[in-house]
Structure formats: C-alpha cells, structure tokens
Amino acid sequence: MAENIHAGHRQRLKDIFASDGITALTDSRALEMLLFYVIPRSDTYPLACRLVDTFGSLRSVLTASPEELKTVNGFGDSAVLFLDFVHQLYERLSEDELRQYQTPEEMRYNSPDDLCRYFVDKLSRCPIEQAWLVCFDDDMYFRHAYLLGEGNATTVVFTPDNVIKFVRDSGCRICAIGHNHPIEGPDPSENDRRSTMKLKALLREEGINLMEHVIVGQGKTRCIVSEEIEHMLR
C-alpha cells in the first residue's frame, strides 16, 4: 500500500483542532480538514482555498447547491455528495433545535421580520423554487415546517388541499408560506398576489389564518399579505 505523504500534515491539523477547537482554524483550513474524510490521499488545502475563494466563506461553501459545487475545478461527485450531506444534516439539526431545544421566547413569532429571516436562511441558496409552510400555535410559537412543493428555476406549484392537510396535521390554526425566486428578485407576480389572497380567503373558510406569504429573492424579501392589506386600506 502506498504511503500517504500528507499523513503527517493531516495529523498536525487534527491535533490543532483537538487542542484548540475550530476557532484555531481559518475557513480554508477547516474546510481542508473536512475534506480529509472524503478525499483520503490528496492535498485538500488547494481545493479548500478554491472553494472559499469561489463562494466567499466556509458557510457559503457548505450551503452551496450541488450544481454550484460541481463548477469548481477538481471537485468530484463524491465530494459534492459529501458536502451536500453535511449541508442537509445541518439543516435537519437546525430544524430540531428550533422545534425542541430553544427556549419558548426564541421560538415565538414577534414580527414579519422573524419570518423573513427564517425564509431567507432556508431558501436564499436553493437553486430551484421551493414552497414551505410553517405553522404556529395560538400563542404564536413555531411548531412545524412542511415542504409544500419543489419546481424549477422559475416555477413552483402547490395545492390548497395540501396546505389545509398540513395545518390540520400540525394541530395549529395559524400559518405562513414562503417561496423563493432563485434567479430574480423577490417582487411578486400578479399571479402570486391573486393566488395568495384567494388562498387566504379559502383558508379563512376552514378556520385557518394565513398570516403571511414571504417571497425570497437575491437575499431580499417581500411580504404579499401585508402589502395587499396595506393596499386595500389606502
């Protein structure tokens, strides 16, 4: 078996982490160490540097889509799959923390800004349109999140029946929806406006309050329900 000429360096980096934690590592070094576990015999530091240079930060690398990662020279399918797994694992842990481990004050809805931050974090780097439903109890505590649908780069479709089903399954009566525009800003289309207000009226008949519909695009947000209500009050 050929000797791994990088073994000594890898062990030194592991020793630094074991002694001082991840704060002792730059973004590139932390990513280099992560890649040890999917690229066993090559020097992973040049690739880690290319990734950080391309996406701007360790966080941006770990939240990049597989399609984006594949554009980086030298980054193969196994490594892409590995980082995508790390990203999705982090998202699952984040959801679990929100649902189970945070204090009630941290889980409580206080303003539309809370929803906007939530959906920006969830959707801003998604390469296709997704629609998500979040449900709140009567005291405005976050309880559940459901994926309503996935589409392509310009379209996503979901049905009112699914919204009603998920809200009822959650045991809640208050909900909000968010979806993203991967290739454009957050400005709602006329169809977005009409379908949102039609859905709000339909849910009201079912005893469900559609509190907001947030659109995320290019890191910015628009809140359709609030904007439409404000327009009607003018």
Side-chain angles (χ1 to χ4, degrees):
M1 182 178 293
E3 180 183 1
N4 183 358
I5 62 173
H6 305 290
H9 167 70
R10 291 186 173 201
Q11 189 57 53
R12 286 191 293 273
L13 200 56
K14 291 177 182 178
D15 289 343
I16 291 172
F17 171 72
S19 173
D20 301 316
I22 200 167
T23 56
L25 304 178
T26 64
D27 280 3
S28 296
R29 290 298 183 188
L31 185 56
E32 175 194 10
M33 183 172 168
L34 182 63
L35 293 174
F36 288 172
Y37 300 96
V38 71
I39 304 175
R41 292 194 168 277
S42 298
D43 181 3
T44 59
Y45 184 61
L47 177 56
C49 289
R50 283 200 299 278
L51 286 163
V52 172
D53 288 344
T54 299
F55 295 103
S57 69
L58 176 60
R59 178 182 177 83
S60 295
V61 173
L62 295 180
T63 57
S65 70
E67 291 75 16
E68 291 172 319
L69 292 171
K70 289 176 183 178
T71 65
V72 177
N73 184 40
F75 205 59
D77 289 343
S78 293
V80 168
L81 185 66
F82 178 69
L83 286 198
D84 189 40
F85 175 80
V86 171
H87 176 203
Q88 294 194 36
L89 183 63
Y90 168 78
E91 285 195 333
R92 177 180 290 187
L93 292 173
S94 296
E95 290 286 348
D96 288 344
E97 287 175 1
L98 182 59
R99 294 177 187 175
Q100 299 178 28
Y101 303 120
Q102 290 184 346
T103 65
E105 290 76 18
E106 291 173 312
M107 293 167 55
R108 192 172 190 181
Y109 171 89
N110 294 299
S111 74
D113 288 343
D114 295 337
L115 276 178
C116 291
R117 284 191 294 270
Y118 176 83
F119 284 123
V120 165
D121 186 60
K122 177 176 285 293
L123 293 169
S124 61
R125 298 200 61 83
C126 185
I128 60 173
E129 287 202 13
Q130 288 186 340
W132 283 83
L133 172 75
V134 293
C135 300
F136 301 85
D137 67 17
D138 290 349
D139 294 319
M140 299 307 297
Y141 293 133
F142 178 100
R143 293 306 181 201
H144 298 278
Y146 302 94
L147 179 63
L148 289 173
E150 290 185 313
N152 54 36
T154 58
T155 307
V156 65
V157 177
F158 59 90
T159 66
D161 287 345
N162 273 349
V163 176
I164 293 170
K165 177 184 182 302
F166 286 139
V167 175
R168 286 178 173 167
D169 287 349
S170 75
C172 300
R173 297 183 297 177
I174 304 169
C175 66
I177 291 170
H179 86 272
N180 60 317
H181 290 169
I183 59 175
E184 58 186 16
D187 295 346
S189 67
E190 189 58 34
N191 182 62
D192 286 333
R193 296 180 186 278
R194 286 198 306 268
S195 60
T196 296
M197 300 314 289
K198 183 177 179 180
L199 177 62
K200 183 174 176 63
L202 177 62
L203 293 180
R204 187 185 303 118
E205 294 176 1
E206 301 291 330
I208 299 168
N209 176 19
L210 177 61
M211 184 170 55
E212 193 57 86
H213 181 175
V214 178
I215 300 181
V216 177
Q218 298 180 349
K220 300 178 181 179
T221 58
R222 294 281 297 271
C223 297
I224 296 179
V225 172
S226 296
E227 292 179 8
E228 288 299 295
I229 292 175
E230 182 180 352
H231 178 74
M232 288 186 290
L233 292 175
R234 289 176 183 170

